[in-house]
Amino acid sequence: ERLALELARLDTHSLRAPFAGQILHVDAMPGATLTRDDELLTLVHLTELEVELHVPLELYNQLDLGKSYPMLAGAPVNRTVTARLDFVAPIVDAATQTYRCTFTIDNQKLHLPAGFSVRLNMQPSMISP
């Protein structure tokens, strides 16, 4: 009975990630007293990279959810990558004449680092109505 109680207590001290990933950084020191609000570590999921872009208004209603589009990737990638459109915000920013879109870049082989810059590699005239 005491063993079961100690095993249950021990289970309250284990961490379970909400997704599979890689530990990027450990934020807590061994032996530190922590609360539920303290950050213990940074866990990243790099097999899919999320991109948030503010797309020119001229492309509104011309990009299709689920379709892939070319992106020019900055350093250190320095090539064109493909990204799938996953979300289009229904609100236009009047000041910049853009709207927010979220894309996903497939990185199953982990060849791409997180954090590189991208820009949509197309002009409004390249898209058929």
Side-chain angles (χ1 to χ4, degrees), residues 1-8:
E1 190 172 299
R2 181 172 167 100
L3 176 60
L5 179 62
E6 291 301 321
L7 288 173

Side-chain angles (χ1 to χ4, degrees):
E1 190 172 299
R2 181 172 167 100
L3 176 60
L5 179 62
E6 291 301 321
L7 288 173
R9 269 187 43 187
L10 182 61
D11 192 48
T12 66
H13 297 287
S14 61
L15 297 175
R16 288 185 181 78
F19 56 87
Q22 297 173 313
I23 296 174
L24 189 61
H25 185 264
V26 177
D27 300 306
M29 299 299 294
T33 301
L34 303 171
T35 67
R36 287 187 173 271
D37 295 329
D38 292 328
E39 291 188 16
L40 302 175
L41 52 87
T42 302
L43 182 70
V44 295
H45 178 69
L46 299 176
T47 58
E48 288 187 335
L49 304 176
E50 185 176 285
V51 176
E52 182 177 299
L53 293 178
H54 293 268
V55 176
L57 187 56
E58 294 83 24
L59 294 176
Y60 198 77
N61 286 331
Q62 294 189 40
L63 300 178
D64 298 319
L65 285 175
K67 187 176 175 187
S68 293
Y69 295 93
M71 301 274 175
L72 288 176
V77 178
N78 296 320
R79 65 180 170 86
T80 299
V81 296
T82 302
R84 181 187 69 240
L85 179 59
D86 293 326
F87 173 77
V88 175
I91 299 169
V92 172
D93 183 328
T96 62
Q97 293 295 292
T98 61
Y99 62 103
R100 187 173 60 87
C101 292
T102 303
F103 296 83
T104 299
I105 297 172
D106 180 21
N107 193 29
Q108 294 294 321
K109 296 181 182 178
L110 301 176
H111 290 199
L112 302 170
F116 61 92
S117 65
V118 295
R119 63 185 169 97
L120 192 58
N121 187 19
M122 58 193 332
Q123 300 299 319
S125 60
M126 294 174 62
I127 301 175
S128 57

